[in-house]
């Protein structure tokens, strides 16, 4: 039964190649894509959903073009104690105050200059951040976008989150970074859909989250294209101000994407994500809702929602609730 | 000098594999990606630009994330004689007229109902389509987006472009379809940036041009998310109306993408693309401007611009001007 001399050599080479290939595939599949998530129902549900929608020929398969995932930012992707953009605006108001003596006696500037944190937190929680957006406009309208971007970078480089003494772009949630990457690896397009300003978030979204600028949805005003110092530039302006929060988040998503997401992540605090979570639930395609509950006062902050609306909606809608305490092995990359 | 029996066999297999691979690569590179473009300076300039920005390590290399290309639609991707959305709105006004007896005596409805094509063409050419956008709002505000999409589909299925007796989605420019595909093959993200309504264009952009809904930039109003017949839905609305034309096209691009395109295509007629062509020219990265001149009255339509502003800007800016007569081997896919 001996075969000619050449055959076993080729067979052996092919076999070796096969073994090498199989090993590579196994190695590539084996590592846990969500190592900072504790094993349990939340992690299993996420993995099951992703496996279902990516299984070609399966009953829940979703073509890659329709694999849209949107995530709130404050409290969902990074720590919102305090809210980064609120700190940025405060920093800008203080920078600009010497040229605006009238601000001393004029709300909301007065509150900011006097260090009354409660004023804007209250505005954010109960008024969809309308005063904050006014401040954003006041501190940026008329600025060429490149100057605005530079000022955001300067703030992010110099400011520190007080509890951790880290940059705001470092107090991001490691489990969520892994989830964003896991979804992208599986053909999803990941978007941020936040109440924050689009221009503010775009400065760091790609480096921080791997979310390209065109995938950032947020509050915005329409800018102006005009010549400044003889150069055509986009200049920050205040027309058509749109606040992307609560029931307007689906509107922001529709304006930007024109498709209903199949995966949405938000968090408990103001009820601001109920809109986009509900919206994804209207998708006739398989869909998934993730609601983060801030229940870890040791590693992060514990806080809840006045009327419990987000958790109630999660219960009614069958959304997955993340307990940061129970579901997350670690909170931050550091 | 004979080698052992096994060696030549393996060498032969490897050599064969090499030849096969080389053939595949050659075959993949050889076919002309722009077969409907006549050889000449315009085609050469396009191909040269794409080769330059995709050549890794080359002095003009642009990373794929920044390869953003935007294209006007009417007169750039499809025939604008007549303008498709104008025909759609006319069709809708006539559909709705029986419920609106007051329209008989009220402009711009009166003009539409009386078949006065000049009224809206004039509005489009000299008034950035403001009356048209009013009609768009009047015929769609309050409609759930799904119903609106159905009505667009119904129109596109039933209406015919009068000169060619073809559907509007068939009177598209074959050379531009090839250009869009060629750019995408080379890592570009292709966007439509038109004065037309976003929702209208999204209905057919993917099937017609391979441009996904999230890559459509156009005129828009912010919609509403609310319950209709017990179901949460996006409903067409009229807040924050934004007309994406002329100097506001860069603003629309900035709102949507947040990056300056490196490739822009537009056309001569109203000067409506000078804005986005100028904008791409401000990009510090290598950039390319393409301006289509409608000079083929035999195969399509010949028309020019009152003040010649687009062609003058092209001359001043060194933009590539497409002569449809000279540069295009064929106009339509049919």
């Amino acid at each position: 039964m001996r075969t000619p001399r050449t055959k076993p050599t080729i067979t052996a080479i092919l076999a070796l190649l096969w073994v090498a290939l199989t090993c590579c595939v196994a190695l590539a599949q084996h590592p846990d894509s969500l190592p900072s998530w504790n094993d349990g129902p939340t992690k299993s549900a996420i993995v099951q959903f992703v496996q279902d929608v990516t299984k070609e020929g399966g009953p829940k398969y979703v073509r890659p073009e329709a694999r849209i995932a949107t995530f709130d930012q404050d409290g969902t992707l990074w720590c919102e104690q305090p809210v980064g953009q609120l700190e940025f605006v405060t920093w800008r108001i203080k920078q600009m105050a010497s040229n605006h003596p009238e601000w001393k006696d004029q709300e909301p500037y007065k509150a900011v200059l006097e260090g009354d944190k409660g004023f804007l937190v209250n505005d954010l929680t109960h008024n969809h951040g309308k005063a904050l957006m006014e401040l954003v406009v006041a501190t940026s309208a008329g600025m060429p976008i490149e100057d605005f971007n530079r000022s955001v970078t300067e703030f992010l480089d110099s400011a520190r989150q007080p509890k951790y003494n880290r940059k705001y772009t470092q107090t991001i949630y490691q489990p969520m970074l892994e989830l964003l990457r896991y979804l992208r690896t599986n053909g999803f397009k990941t978007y941020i859909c936040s109440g924050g300003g689009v221009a503010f978030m775009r400065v760091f979204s790609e480096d921080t989250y791997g979310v390209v600028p065109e995938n950032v949805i947020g509050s915005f005003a329409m800018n102006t294209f005009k010549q400044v110092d003889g150069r055509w530039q986009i200049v920050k302006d205040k027309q058509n101000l749109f606040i992307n929060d609560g029931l307007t988040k689906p509107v922001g998503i529709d304006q930007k994407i024109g498709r209903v997401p199949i995966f949405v992540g938000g968090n408990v605090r103001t009820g601001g994500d109920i809109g986009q979570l509900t919206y994804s639930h209207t998708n006739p395609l398989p869909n998934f809702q993730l609601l983060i509950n801030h229940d870890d006062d040791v590693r992060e902050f514990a806080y809840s929602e006045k009327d419990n609306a987000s958790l109630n909606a999660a219960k009614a809608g069958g959304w997955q609730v993340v307990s940061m305490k129970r579901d997350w092995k670690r909170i931050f990359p550091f």
Side-chain angles (χ1 to χ4, degrees), chain A:
Chain A
M1 289 291 286
R2 298 183 81 197
T3 47
R5 247 194 100 86
T6 56
K7 287 269 179 69
T9 319
I10 298 163
T11 315
I13 289 167
L14 288 175
L16 261 170
L17 275 171
W18 179 249
V19 169
L21 193 72
T22 313
C23 284
C24 285
V25 171
L27 264 171
Q29 285 182 338
H30 185 74
D32 184 353
S33 302
L34 302 171
S36 302
W37 292 74
N38 285 317
D39 290 330
T42 312
K43 180 173 178 172
S44 301
I46 294 170
V47 172
Q48 186 63 53
F49 176 75
V50 171
Q51 286 176 350
D52 285 348
V53 299
T54 53
K55 192 183 165 158
E56 277 192 70
K60 295 189 175 172
Y61 178 73
V62 175
R63 68 185 186 120
E65 288 79 4
R67 291 183 208 151
I68 306 281
T70 65
F71 291 90
D72 174 51
Q73 192 197 204
D74 300 302
T76 297
L77 298 181
W78 75 357
C79 179
E80 63 177 344
Q81 302 283 354
V83 174
Q85 191 161 7
L86 201 151
E87 296 303 300
F88 168 65
V89 166
T90 301
W91 178 81
R92 285 281 298 153
I93 292 283
K94 288 179 181 166
Q95 256 186 351
M96 296 169 72
S98 59
N99 291 324
H100 293 273
E102 73 281 10
W103 284 356
K104 276 203 326 288
D105 307 306
Q106 191 183 330
E107 294 295 9
Y109 308 94
K110 185 170 178 282
V112 171
L113 290 172
E114 290 174 354
D116 177 2
K117 300 266 180 198
F119 184 91
L120 284 183
V121 170
N122 189 54
D123 164 71
L124 208 65
T125 318
H126 302 301
N127 198 26
H128 299 296
K130 278 186 186 162
L132 174 60
M133 288 314 296
E134 250 186 70
L135 292 171
V136 168
V137 167
T139 54
S140 63
M143 268 179 118
I145 189 91
E146 291 170 18
D147 295 348
F148 176 81
N149 293 348
R150 259 191 298 274
S151 93
V152 174
T153 303
E154 198 192 324
F155 165 76
L156 291 173
D157 284 346
S158 61
R160 294 293 178 275
Q161 198 285 346
K163 177 167 175 175
Y164 307 104
N165 193 30
R166 300 270 179 170
K167 290 183 185 181
Y168 285 96
T169 49
Q170 290 177 306
T171 56
I172 51 181
Y173 302 138
Q174 177 63 24
M176 296 305 284
L177 289 183
E178 293 166 7
L179 177 56
L180 287 169
R181 212 175 297 130
Y182 177 54
L183 291 173
R184 285 194 295 263
T185 306
N186 282 282
F188 281 75
K189 292 185 197 173
T190 56
Y191 287 82
I192 292 172
C193 177
S194 162
V198 169
F200 175 77
M201 295 186 284
R202 274 177 175 164
V203 174
F204 56 92
S205 65
E206 191 168 7
D207 286 348
T208 307
Y209 306 117
V211 173
V212 288
E214 56 266 40
N215 286 12
V216 176
I217 305 167
S219 299
F220 66 89
M222 297 310 284
N223 297 326
T224 304
F225 183 58
K226 63 180 175 191
Q227 284 189 297
V228 181
D229 304 328
R231 242 177 12 101
W232 283 100
Q233 301 186 55
I234 294 285
V235 176
K236 294 272 291 172
D237 213 326
K238 55 190 177 185
Q239 297 105 343
N240 291 22
L241 181 63
F242 175 77
I243 296 182
N244 191 58
D245 196 31
L247 286 182
T248 65
K249 278 191 176 177
V251 175
I253 293 171
D254 171 66
Q255 192 267 334
K256 185 81 167 202
I257 311 180
R259 309 190 203 246
V260 189
I262 67 166
F263 195 113
V264 170
N267 71 285
V268 170
R269 183 184 191 185
T270 63
D273 290 314
I274 297 174
Q276 61 171 332
L277 289 155
T278 301
Y279 184 41
S280 66
H281 209 42
T282 69
N283 198 326
L285 297 171
N287 52 74
F288 193 96
Q289 293 75 32
L290 194 75
L291 181 73
I292 296 169
N293 196 17
H294 289 264
D295 58 1
D296 192 329
D297 59 348
V298 177
R299 296 184 300 172
E300 207 229 10
F301 298 89
Y303 49 93
S304 58
E305 204 168 287
K306 193 174 48 120
D307 55 4
N308 237 19
S310 296
L311 286 171
N312 291 342
K315 205 167 184 180
W319 305 344
Q320 283 292 327
V321 176
V322 175
S323 155
M324 287 176 71
K325 202 168 176 171
R326 184 195 65 211
D327 289 318
W328 287 1
K329 207 171 283 175
R330 57 192 290 202
I331 309 278
F332 299 111
F334 49 81

